[in-house]
Amino acid sequence: MTLFRHLARQCAVEAAAVFLVFSIFWPFYFLRVTEWRWPVVCAACGTLAFLIARVSRQPWWWQVIHLAFVPALWAGLQLAISPLWYLGGFLVLLLVFRGAASGRIPLYPSGARTTPQLACLLPDKAATLDIGAGIGSLLLPLSRQRPDLLLSGIDNAPLPWLIGLIRVHKIGIRWLWGDFWRHPLAPYQAVYCFLSPTPMSALWRKACREMWPGCLFVSKAFPVPGIIPECICRDPEDTAERDTLYVYRIPARNREGDPENILRGNEYKPRGEA
Ligand SMILES: C[S@@+](CC[C@H](N)C(=O)[O-])C[C@H]1O[C@@H](n2cnc3c(N)ncnc32)[C@H](O)[C@@H]1O
């Protein structure tokens, strides 16, 4: 489901709850000529929105958001803060989490366990791309552990991209701005990603179309649905399996599918065999 349809559904849940509550409360308050009891009305809106979300089987986090949304709105209004603060907060969030808004891929750094695992997997001098590089939390330590690699990172969230640029500009990491869906993957022998379950199938198809046979495609935490990885790197201490790396090799292509790449024959070679 596209993001727009998803948001439209959640807005409909909220609107239905508010409409129902106001339909019930309005005549009650009108006939009794009494003051609106806003805390009661808002609590009723939150409860009803929660129930509608639950009955219509929305994901649990949406149920929580619906429960809290109208009461939080009312509580925020009581603070009498200038609306500009809310606008500012929204803009900062958008600058940081643009990936979550546009493709359901939030900013979340890889963590210290991943770098040594990935460093062991990558072949000598491999041109390696971190798809959605965030603030460079993976590429920076990787460049120290594997100075032979030709590292690149791409991101399209303005604030993380800028922080990453400041962090990597003195090191030989290519730091690219843009949407990874529009970025060609052919020049890379290895692609690493830590994204979300949503884009994995489409991203794998893109990698198979553009990368050369034998190259590596490594995904942290999110396997490609329906594709058996060549190997799975898992730290036995990582019981939650958040740091698991799923390693795939780009399959040989149909000669008619992309003859140019096959003729160039840029085969992946494991470390030491290059
Ligand atoms: C979970 S973070 C991973 C950060 C980094 N790779 C790491 O491992 O520490 C995912 C990143 O992907 C970026 N992203 C999401 N959609 C993107 C897109 N279409 N093009 C480029 N970057 C994107 C987000 O901005 C976010 O920084």
Side-chain angles (χ1 to χ4, degrees), residues 96 99 102 105-111 130-134 137-138 154-157 160 178-181 192 194-195:
V96 176
S102 60
I105 304 168
L107 171 67
Y108 195 78
S110 272
D130 182 0
I131 278 185
S137 341
L138 176 97
I154 183 166
D155 209 289
N156 71 348
D179 181 358
F180 61 67
W181 294 111
Y192 166 82
F194 175 33
L195 300 169

Side-chain angles (χ1 to χ4, degrees), residues 56-69:
S56 60
R57 297 192 181 170
Q58 304 306 314
W60 67 266
W61 64 89
W62 273 115
Q63 296 178 24
V64 175
I65 290 172
H66 284 302
L67 183 65
F69 184 70

Side-chain angles (χ1 to χ4, degrees), residues 117-243:
Q117 281 183 324
L118 190 64
C120 293
L121 286 169
L122 296 171
D124 284 338
K125 296 181 185 164
T128 303
L129 174 71
D130 182 0
I131 278 185
I135 57 170
S137 341
L138 176 97
L139 288 180
L140 265 175
L142 189 61
S143 72
R144 283 193 285 272
Q145 290 183 28
R146 290 288 308 276
D148 61 300
L149 298 172
L150 301 164
L151 296 174
S152 306
I154 183 166
D155 209 289
N156 71 348
L159 215 51
W161 177 83
L162 189 63
I163 295 170
L165 182 70
I166 294 165
R167 294 177 82 200
V168 307
H169 85 283
K170 282 195 181 146
I171 311 167
I173 297 175
R174 221 159 57 104
W175 197 247
L176 305 163
W177 163 260
D179 181 358
F180 61 67
W181 294 111
R182 293 164 183 265
H183 185 70
L185 302 181
Y188 304 101
Q189 274 100 51
V191 159
Y192 166 82
C193 59
F194 175 33
L195 300 169
S196 82
T198 313
M200 290 318 295
S201 289
L203 192 56
W204 171 247
R205 285 197 298 276
K206 175 177 166 65
C208 289
R209 262 195 324 269
E210 298 177 10
M211 291 175 77
W212 295 16
C215 290
L216 284 187
F217 179 87
V218 182
S219 172
K220 174 175 160 143
F222 306 110
V224 181
I227 305 291
I228 299 168
E230 181 175 276
C231 75
I232 297 177
C233 302
R234 188 172 287 152
D235 185 339
E237 286 175 22
D238 171 29
T239 44
E241 298 186 3
R242 280 195 203 103
D243 291 322

